Amino acid sequence: MEYFDEYDENGHSLHRKVTREEAHRLGLWHRTVHIWVLCHNVVLIQQRSLQKDSYPGYYDISCAGHLSAGNTLIQGALREVEEELGLKLTSADFLPLGVYKINYDKTFHDHLFKDREFAHVYVVELKEKPQIIIQKEELEKAFWISLEQLDRELTDSSRYCINQHDYELLEKYLKHRGIYREELRKLQ
């Protein structure tokens, strides 16, 4: 059973643990980590498993996942990239880009899914493309795509479920990459 820490709508801890099922059935606030993995001018994109409880089969950000109860954001980010992509990274590899709220009710697999998340977005820049070992329960596949092609496809395709806020944070980072990188490192 997967447990999350519950938060109020302002991001304050309620000091309660809830199950994943409760969080999405009742629309309870919890935390997630969203991670962009870059290598030079290409970005890793995943295709979500057809069995996922939300957006099955859609193309998505490199890696994302719920924060388990009691975990820090970095612990969650490290766990997710290792589980979903087989990448062994360190906390220094993650640069925080920002946080935003996700709040929607949609139906997937004929069930109502109430999502209330604080999405914490990170970027990881690698010097060379690593071997990716996908977690079959979470992903159908993962592939590298140029930033230019991703930009075109996000505009022209409905196959993606990448949140606009995730992409805007990535664009802001890329625009100010050199300066931004140093400022973000100082905050860690």
Side-chain angles (χ1 to χ4, degrees):
M1 180 94 39
E2 194 174 2
Y3 287 92
F4 306 154
D5 291 319
E6 185 183 358
Y7 294 84
D8 69 17
E9 62 197 31
N10 297 311
H12 300 109
S13 175
L14 296 177
H15 305 287
R16 289 193 299 242
K17 291 181 193 176
V18 297
T19 67
R20 176 189 180 101
E21 187 276 330
E22 289 172 318
H24 293 297
R25 181 174 45 85
L26 301 172
L28 305 176
W29 288 96
H30 55 284
R31 288 180 167 181
T32 59
V33 289
H34 296 195
I35 302 135
W36 289 105
V37 178
L38 305 176
C39 184
H40 304 290
N41 288 321
V42 294
V43 61
L44 188 65
I45 296 296
Q46 65 165 266
Q47 182 182 20
R48 296 168 61 83
S49 166
L50 298 173
Q51 306 310 311
K52 292 293 288 177
D53 57 5
S54 64
Y55 296 100
Y58 279 70
Y59 297 114
D60 203 354
I61 192 168
S62 308
C63 182
H66 291 88
L67 199 64
S68 296
N71 280 180
T72 66
L73 294 166
I74 290 296
Q75 286 172 327
L78 286 165
R79 185 191 75 243
E80 290 298 331
V81 295
E82 185 169 355
E83 286 179 1
E84 290 187 7
L85 305 171
L87 299 178
K88 293 191 185 302
L89 302 175
T90 68
S91 59
D93 294 319
F94 294 86
L95 292 173
L97 299 184
V99 61
Y100 66 93
K101 287 182 176 182
I102 294 175
N103 184 352
Y104 69 81
D105 295 354
K106 291 190 180 181
T107 300
F108 301 102
H109 302 294
D110 297 323
H111 290 93
L112 182 60
F113 187 89
K114 296 181 177 186
D115 204 10
R116 310 287 184 274
E117 298 178 5
F118 292 97
H120 297 262
V121 185
Y122 293 88
V123 67
V124 171
E125 286 204 66
L126 303 173
K127 293 185 186 337
E128 57 186 55
K129 290 182 190 174
Q131 178 183 358
I132 302 297
I133 302 167
I134 65 167
Q135 182 182 23
K136 290 287 189 187
E137 299 82 15
E138 296 287 329
L139 285 68
E140 293 293 320
K141 64 182 175 181
F143 57 94
W144 296 94
I145 186 173
S146 73
L147 292 164
E148 295 79 14
Q149 184 178 354
L150 177 62
D151 191 57
R152 282 192 307 273
E153 289 194 16
L154 287 175
T155 302
D156 299 335
S157 175
S158 61
R159 300 177 306 164
Y160 286 83
C161 65
I162 294 173
N163 191 292
Q164 177 183 349
H165 297 294
D166 283 315
Y167 194 63
E168 288 170 356
L169 288 168
L170 177 64
E171 284 182 312
K172 179 181 175 186
Y173 168 74
L174 292 171
K175 184 176 180 182
H176 305 289
R177 185 184 255 157
I179 298 165
Y180 199 55
R181 228 176 140 67
E182 285 309 309
E183 289 176 3
L184 289 173
R185 288 231 184 266
K186 289 176 187 176
L187 295 175
Q188 287 185 325

